[in-house]
Amino acid sequence: MLIPCPHCGPRDVSEFSYQGDATRTRPDPASTDMKAWHDYVYNRPNPAGPHREYWQHAGGCRVHLLLTRDTLTHEVQAVAFARAGLNEGAGKP
Amino acid sequence: MVERVSPLGEAFRPGTYGNLAEGPGVTLTEATPAAIAEASAFPGSTEPLLAAIETVTGLSLPATPGAGAVGDGAAVFAIGPGRYLVSGAEGLSASLQAAVALDIGTVTDLSHGRAALRIAGPRAEWVLAKLFALDFSPAAFPVGEGRATAHHDVFAHIQRTGGDQFDIYVFRSFARAFWQELCAAAEETGYEVG
Amino acid sequence: MSARRIPTGGLIDRSRTVPFTFDGKAYTGFAGDTLAAALLANGITLIGRSFKYHRPRGVFTAGVDEPNALVTVFKDGVREPNIPATQIELYEGLVAESQNRFPSLDYDISALNQLAGPLFGAGFYYKTFMGPVVGPLKGTRFWMFCEHFIRRAAGLGRAGYDKDPARYERMNAFCDVLVVGAGPAGLMAAEAAAKAGKRVILAEQEPRAGGAANWSGETIGGKPAALWAEAAAERLAAMDNVRLLTRTAVWGYYDGNNLAALERVGDHLAAAPKGAPRHRHWSIRAEKVVLATGSFERPIVFPGNDRPGVMLAGAAERYANQFGVLPGEKIAIFTNNDGAYRAAAALKKAGGAVVAILDVRPEISAAARALAEEAGVVPLLGHAVAGTAGKRLAKVLIQRFDAATGRLSGDVRPVEADCLAVSGGWSPAIHLASQAGRNPAWDDRLNAFLPPQPTQEWTGAGAFTGAMSTAEALSSGRDAGLIAAGKKASRAKLPEVAAPPLEAGPAPVFEIKAEGKAFVDLQNDVTADDVRLAHREGFVSVEHLKRYTTLGMATDQGKTSNVPGLAIMAGARGLAIPEVGTTRFRPPFSPVSIGSLAAEKHGHFKPDRLTPMHDWHVERGARMMEVGLWHRPMVYGEAGETVEQTYIREAATVRASVGIVDVSTLGKIAVKGPDAAEFLDRVYTNMFSTLAVGKARYGLMLREDGIALDDGTTWRLGEHDFLMTTTTANAGKVMQHLEYYLDVVWPDLKVHLASVTDQWAGAAVAGPNARKVLEACVTETAVDNEALPFMGIVHGGIAGAPVMICRLSFSGELAYEVYCGAGHGTHVWEALMEAGEAFGITPYGMEALGTLRIEKGHVTGAEIDGRTTARDLYLDWMLSKKKPFIGSALMDREGLIDTNRIRLVGVVSLDGRPLGGGAHIVEKGSLEELGESIGHITAFCYSPALSKYIGLALVKGGKARHGTRAFVSDALRKRFGPVEIVSHHFFDPEGSRMHG
Amino acid sequence: MAEYSALSLLKNALTGNRDWKPAWRKPEPKPSYDVIIIGGGGHGLATAYYLAKEHGITNVAVLEKGWLGSGNIGRNTTIVRSNYLLPESVRFYDFSVKLWENLSHELNYNVMFSQRGILNLAHSPSQADDYIRRGNAMCHGGGDGVWLTPAEIARKVPGVDLSRSARFPVIGGLLQPRAGTARHDAVAWGYARAADRRGVDILENCEVTGFLRDGEKIAGVVTTRGEIRAKKVAVAVAGSTSRLMGMAGIDRFPIESHVLQAFVSEAIKPFVDCVVTFGGGHLYMSQSDKGGLVFGGDLDGYNSYAQRGNLPLVEEVMGEMVAMFPAVARLRLLRSWGGIMDMSMDGSPIITGGPLPGMYLNCGWCYGGFKATPASGFSFAWTIAKDEPHAVNAPFTLSRFERGAVIDEKGQGPTPKLH
């Protein structure tokens, strides 16, 4: 499986570290809504099909990527830097 | 100033080794830049960071992924978005630090933390292809450009510093193990250490 | 040479005689032979014994699909079992042995298994061997008794235990177009793509390019096809943008058009060149792929179809045409299609006597008829083989056969023959295409599965697509190459092919039903009756069939048995073949050496990670130990000392005077930027924004679920410049944890992280004389209590090298961590040793380090084990109430504050005997009657400071048990004895020594 | 239906094996059952069997979307063991081993459970401490554990690299003698046949596409073979739990589906007797009765439903194989395949009533479902029949995540790929 890193170009999956579900939003740090925290920490959508997920290019540029990848075919459908600020002005690898 | 000791120790043995039927296919050496630093820009500040790098090293390069430049006694290449590995003269980190404003980015000295191993020769691409899943062909990896990658547990920042020459920056603690790996990979083509 | 070797012809080099041995007997062959060809040339037709019934078996195919002729090869001082003789290229001194026979290949005792054949049908294991319900053989014992013998009878070849001395390598390759298979289609595809300027890799599993051209007897472009192929391969090899890989089997089609291939670099050589690997594992990333993998001939199933001498027609033709070997002297042909007629003509031409052609079809094409005439025999149409006779094939029993009803009729007539060449049609080699997931499509004309629609970037060509003629192979090959290169198909003239116009489709006859064992899977001894038994017992889906009978699970991966097996099941179920389904093919396409996949990891599994002072430690006789990838000194033993004596001496010296330990392995992360302090406040449970520049603080991190993650000190070197240290084990994990939060959760923070673990060499100097040691060697700064108070940081020099010194203590003594550039590490270390000489300084290793920390009750990875909370470790004083931090929201859940959780305590051995890591703590019991565990010991040592064996433990209730008695219960090491549970702060609980 | 025995084999052999009957019937679905079990894998079939046998509930249907046993029961590396660390796990898995020991008799089907032992190699003092803690936990929990020295390992498992020059030298090993391997498919078929003989309907090619409700309560399922109603609906579909929960309207759940690859070598004569695991990485290996070395390692490490893995993991596993047994470099990989693991947030399973009224859930088996099959089926059947958990599955609730009462054997927290 290849992951097209916006900085490094397509690289072998072995260079990446999977960081899981990207649909979660961390509650406000001061929040005491235990249900929201529980949902954030433990629950996952786990779809069979397109999945939004984070990958870190740990064996490369170290940046976290936001991917949409089909869990049935492993096809990567979209990729961007997780940190939105990096996507502005990012060139083609 | 106290001399920096090479991490390769006795694993660095000048001479020729391996299959020398067609002469050594590669030469392996330790490139010893006086200083190595990482300079990183905060999002949106890559251009001013590059300007600072140019001021210090005299090397200019575009803010594109993989870009790099090699000059006399200095080299620089991108290792991540807004992140650059710079090698150059003594005092490099301090000069960069002085040139990079607080809200532009940061500079970290890695002079001791990375070892730069150099492979050169007609079979360099072949030998490196054994260790890294990178396309080393000149079209895909032009002179001056850099790549961040890994060989199993060993992180590597690689710059093509010549037509058939590559400098591989690895973490110092892995340098000896990686050097031995490199030598083993070069046995097939024959290699010279020197 | 024997009579079986044809005097001229073939692609072998008759000028080079190659000696080899088989079962200890010496033979010769020619360069270019396979072992199978050379054995046949020497008249050897019995080569192995089958898996279950130990039936005699010979060569059945000429390639990778071989089910029968497996041998063990002895090379490099080790044995390599189960290699098809059809895949072994002859080299000088080759040593091969037959397998699965005792005492000899000719007389194998286990062949008696055949007598009980009906007992050993599919699934028989499941129905018996349960054994008695009571008595000494109850439970699993009876089965295990029987299993012992079953296991010895099963298996094929024997593997050795000696380390494989061979070298293996991995190669990463990139190309625009990968062409798999260098038959006529593949050669055309590669040339078309290469001429279009693409970077091309052409991979061929055989030693030479050409595929069927090497034995078809056809001509291409007016030349013998083999010569045409040779010329085409030479043209390709000469092109800069083409890499032609022979002996290279592409075996895996992975995601992202990543293909895996095995190149057998040295198997065909008596000795590999220096530095060259035996096998090279290619990981190929291709923009486009052309699959030109050809097709496999399949047999017809009939009783006695496994006798040595029975082989595929195409294989017989190949032995004659490519290797110059006649597989028999009296050859019978049995077919359901035209293809075998070409073989018949070839075998006749090579000097064999074609004694009969049996064709199940009532009518055949004119072209086939003409070939029969060339073979000098009138084909018996509407006939089939109903059986065979002889240990090695001696007779073929023939009968009239109606292809429409599948019935035999009339008299059984024997025909004398020592070779029976069988053809049951051809199946495209769709394995790679199907690995990606979709199901193949059944073709009624070819009676075969065709490749599925692509799920990845590939195009097919040649017989792989069902285009069985050479002319079609040339045109589809060229088209596929052009398409892969992004060009339009060409109309330019193709080389002319001279070949008989044979019909490719076979009659749909897969099995001849008659008395006797008819094998579907030859290697696993699965018979047609086994398939029908599976049906009778309800194992009717393809997967159940496979699992119940083991059909297709042998080393040949069912290449010859898949379709016949399906056809028989379809017959039993009264369904069409595609309705029964097809097995999904998975990697590898053909067996791959495990060594090649391990590649450079074979011999050295993981890289060594060395500290800057590594060589010094080793020279000083340190016994090293593995800590993750690091090598660290365990003890610096002296002659005659045990490990325990050594660490006690080292630790005692630290408490009495001074010691030095290498702490370079601690994870070190530079945390820099305007928001660095804010970031640390969020990730640590305690405050860092309040830390003064030039000071360090101990910090604790939790995971989001409230469990402790890691601890360490973080030093504020500047307003926006921190140096974080982590435990050695968690350095990478913590780095990733921090990077995740910066990239994903708090992208607005202006903070950069850099791993500087390797930048700094670290030495901890500890003991009452530590300051004196520093005073003796540190320049440019004072190190007295005022200049360098507890948790203070100063910058100075030692022996000319810049250093950074932080006063902090893991040992509980007055102690300093001295950091310098890693390249200066040994220099500074030696200067410290020299300065310490007057105080009797000792270097100390991990054991003494552990002893000192246990005495102090400091926690490490044994206690921060991913299940403990800050409270469990009595670190709740570090949980800031002034701010949220990672883990603060969930750390107070009921399960995490339960008073019955296991919590940190100290334990003291009351019987003067050692404790043991991993021993449990019980309130009562004995070794004979183990009590209920209330916790376990995480670390123990002999404490020189307390003169006792002590330990840290996690025990239910924790502090509440202080002062109580319990027992250490260590069933594994047969240790049971009384302990007292005490505070984990054993030594100097007030900390007066480190503050002094 | 006839008992299986040596005698019946002989009798049938003499009559040309013509009288064998299907191992289980292929009935048509009834409109309603007392209990529907979704998932015709090991756990679902075992649950049906124990419902019938232990609780007399025989009006039961097992619904399988494909062929019986097509999920992880047919894709695992066949290891049975209870060498766990935490008391909850030790109790549960040791109960399972006890059921295994009599399973062939109980089912009248030889599942080939062979107590060859499992040996965990330890390569560092801290790893040895971990394994000893685990071994002691096993012993204190009523199970069995033995510590072996390198010399004892050399005798028991020839071929293991015990040299000091090994990258991670072996310093000892934890042996569980009662552990071993079983024939995975036979377990599915044995339970299926035994459940069928007690009247359970096994419905293959019957895919659930939705749930029927009576108000809040789950009252049945919609399938590709029509609607089927039931008083109780049990879900045992490890690998597809989230999909089923999604159909029931629960769109976020503490499960991720990951692909795990497994491998088998060509068949060779007896090479290794017990199951061996390599502590220098993550690898487990045994030899099947047919002679193939069966082995596996880590997850590929990303969400997947593809039953297909990728190359890096293959290479990693082979690297570990030759590090443990340097001789196997010369052997050949014959087959590889992938299964979909139901990875939970603490690495432990969930066996519980709920999460919706009328529903019962058995999931989150991570790597470890095969060995658990009997205990899982037994305790799940208990939970379904009595509407309360059995003592062995009581800690394996769904609410434990909320409560912070996780059962985290590896100490990795809510990161499924690391369990």
Side-chain angles (χ1 to χ4, degrees), chain B residues 110-191:
Chain B
L110 295 171
S111 304
H112 290 264
R114 304 289 182 266
L117 309 178
R118 176 168 292 167
I119 178 169
R123 304 302 302 279
E125 288 180 25
W126 173 262
V127 172
L128 287 178
K130 297 183 185 191
L131 304 176
F132 298 106
L134 284 184
D135 188 348
F136 287 98
S137 66
F141 195 160
V143 174
E145 289 213 344
R147 302 283 182 267
T149 184
H151 172 66
H152 300 305
D153 304 85
V154 182
F155 295 113
H157 292 136
I158 307 175
Q159 186 176 30
R160 187 177 208 128
T161 50
D164 59 7
Q165 176 176 303
F166 298 85
D167 289 358
I168 309 160
Y169 294 79
V170 296
F171 281 36
R172 187 191 204 277
S173 55
F174 283 120
R176 192 180 299 180
F178 183 73
W179 172 262
Q180 284 160 340
E181 192 92 72
L182 198 55
C183 290
E187 267 179 42
E188 187 191 20
T189 66
Y191 66 98

Side-chain angles (χ1 to χ4, degrees), chain C residues 725-780:
Chain C
T725 68
T726 73
T727 58
T728 299
N730 283 335
K733 198 173 180 176
V734 169
M735 182 74 176
Q736 249 183 352
H737 174 77
L738 302 180
E739 285 172 325
Y740 177 84
Y741 279 89
L742 276 182
D743 265 355
V744 169
V745 184
W746 304 311
D748 295 338
L749 291 186
K750 281 193 166 180
V751 178
H752 280 149
L753 306 171
S755 170
V756 291
T757 302
D758 294 56
Q759 169 74 3
W760 300 100
V765 182
N769 288 320
R771 185 182 289 133
K772 291 180 192 152
V773 174
L774 294 194
E775 281 169 348
C777 63
V778 174
T779 58
E780 298 151 62

Side-chain angles (χ1 to χ4, degrees), chain C residues 447-487:
Chain C
N447 279 302
F449 286 104
L450 295 185
Q453 286 302 305
T455 49
Q456 299 216 46
E457 296 292 321
W458 61 260
T459 317
F464 162 81
T465 64
M468 294 293 174
S469 77
T470 306
E472 288 171 293
L474 297 182
S475 69
S476 70
R478 185 176 65 186
D479 288 353
L482 289 169
I483 290 164
K487 307 269 181 199

Side-chain angles (χ1 to χ4, degrees), chain C residues 92-437:
Chain C
E92 194 152 332
L94 168 71
V95 179
E97 256 184 25
S98 60
Q99 316 185 136
N100 207 31
R101 80 289 190 265
F102 179 84
S104 76
L105 187 55
D106 242 357
Y107 303 99
D108 179 9
I109 285 177
S110 302
L112 292 172
N113 285 0
Q114 294 179 64
L115 300 178
L119 270 179
F120 294 157
F124 83 97
Y125 293 103
Y126 307 125
K127 296 171 186 157
T128 183
F129 302 123
M130 279 81 93
V133 184
V134 292
L137 290 175
K138 72 182 167 89
T140 57
R141 288 194 194 130
F142 181 73
W143 162 242
M144 288 181 68
F145 173 77
C146 302
E147 189 192 27
H148 176 72
F149 299 98
I150 291 169
R151 283 169 84 92
R152 283 168 52 165
L156 287 162
R158 186 160 65 79
Y161 287 120
D162 293 332
K163 180 180 169 145
D164 179 6
R167 180 189 179 108
Y168 298 93
E169 281 186 357
R170 178 181 212 268
M171 180 55 72
N172 300 285
F174 295 76
C175 63
D176 298 315
V177 180
L178 167 66
V179 181
V180 185
L187 287 166
M188 288 301 289
E191 189 159 15
K195 280 186 176 160
K198 297 295 175 185
R199 258 205 297 180
V200 174
I201 295 177
L202 172 58
E204 166 57 50
Q205 62 186 352
E206 294 283 336
R208 58 186 302 140
N214 289 327
W215 64 85
S216 68
E218 298 171 349
T219 67
I220 302 176
K223 275 195 269 191
L227 296 185
W228 173 87
E230 195 168 279
E234 275 167 16
R235 281 198 305 279
L236 286 166
M239 294 175 82
D240 281 342
N241 56 335
V242 177
R243 185 183 295 285
L244 172 59
L245 295 171
T246 53
R247 301 185 176 90
T248 304
V250 177
W251 57 264
Y253 204 141
Y254 289 95
D255 293 322
N257 250 28
N258 185 193
L259 289 94
L262 176 75
E263 181 188 6
R264 289 172 290 118
V265 182
D267 279 352
H268 64 294
L269 302 171
K274 195 170 186 183
R278 178 171 100 98
H279 289 170
R280 201 192 306 277
H281 160 47
W282 287 79
S283 172
I284 303 170
R285 204 185 300 169
E287 292 290 328
K288 306 279 177 189
V289 174
V290 175
L291 295 176
T293 49
S295 59
F296 287 112
E297 194 172 14
R298 57 187 192 232
I300 299 171
V301 176
F302 55 84
N305 61 341
D306 66 326
R307 240 174 264 288
V310 179
M311 68 168 62
L312 291 174
E317 182 183 22
R318 186 172 174 193
Y319 284 114
N321 283 349
Q322 183 178 346
F323 299 104
V325 176
L326 264 182
E329 284 158 24
K330 287 182 277 186
I331 302 161
I333 310 276
F334 178 34
T335 186
N336 65 1
N337 68 86
D338 281 5
Y341 288 82
R342 199 182 72 186
L347 290 161
K348 169 72 176 175
K349 195 173 158 199
V354 177
V355 294
I357 297 180
L358 310 157
D359 196 322
V360 297
R361 299 174 294 177
E363 275 168 53
I364 57 172
S365 69
R369 213 169 270 285
L371 286 167
E373 210 159 295
E374 270 183 54
V377 55
V378 178
L380 293 171
L381 303 183
H383 273 72
V385 174
T388 62
K391 180 170 179 180
R392 295 169 180 79
L393 183 69
K395 279 177 194 159
V396 177
L397 309 175
I398 67 172
Q399 228 176 332
R400 290 203 69 84
F401 179 78
D402 182 348
T405 62
R407 292 226 176 82
L408 290 163
S409 62
D411 294 340
V412 178
R413 284 180 289 152
V415 174
E416 279 191 24
D418 59 356
C419 175
L420 174 59
V422 182
S423 181
W426 296 77
S427 295
I430 59 172
H431 307 66
L432 289 175
S434 105
Q435 280 182 20

